[in-house]
């Protein structure tokens, strides 16, 4: 929607709600694709930051989920996720 309709909030909610449903169903492992970066053309860097931040924040308050996998569609997404995860792991 051009970035003016709360897209960032909606994307973060997609991750949080998915994790909450997984917890409700006693699921301990979840995999996420690069949500919205395909045909919806959401900026890949921002999408990755939202994904990682949303998942980390959720996991701080619930330890039911023990594994989260980010499935990258292409090398560009992989490099973005790898860069963010490596930067934050070193902090």
């Amino acid at each position: 929607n051009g970035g003016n309709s709360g897209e960032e909030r909606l994307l973060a909610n997609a991750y949080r709600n998915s994790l909450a449903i997984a917890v409700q169903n006693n699921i301990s492992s979840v995999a996420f694709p690069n949500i919205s970066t395909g045909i919806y053309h959401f900026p890949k860097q921002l999408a990755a930051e939202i994904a990682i931040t949303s998942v980390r924040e959720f996991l701080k308050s619930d330890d039911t989920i023990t594994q989260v996998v980010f499935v990258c569609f292409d090398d560009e997404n992989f490099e973005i996720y790898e860069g963010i995860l490596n930067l934050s792991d070193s902090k």
Side-chain angles (χ1 to χ4, degrees), residues 28-63:
S28 62
S29 178
V30 178
F32 287 110
N34 305 123
I35 298 173
S36 292
T37 62
I39 62 170
Y40 293 107
H41 304 291
F42 196 90
K44 292 179 181 182
Q45 179 73 34
L46 182 55
E49 291 168 3
I50 291 169
I52 292 167
T53 300
S54 299
V55 167
R56 283 188 167 153
E57 289 299 314
F58 186 92
L59 296 178
K60 285 180 184 177
S61 63
D62 192 300
D63 64 356

Side-chain angles (χ1 to χ4, degrees), residues 7-39:
E7 292 90 349
E8 292 179 31
R9 179 184 49 79
L10 292 171
L11 183 56
N13 284 341
Y15 286 100
R16 284 191 291 269
N17 292 334
S18 296
L19 292 166
I21 290 169
V23 167
Q24 290 170 0
N25 289 283
N26 296 313
I27 294 170
S28 62
S29 178
V30 178
F32 287 110
N34 305 123
I35 298 173
S36 292
T37 62
I39 62 170

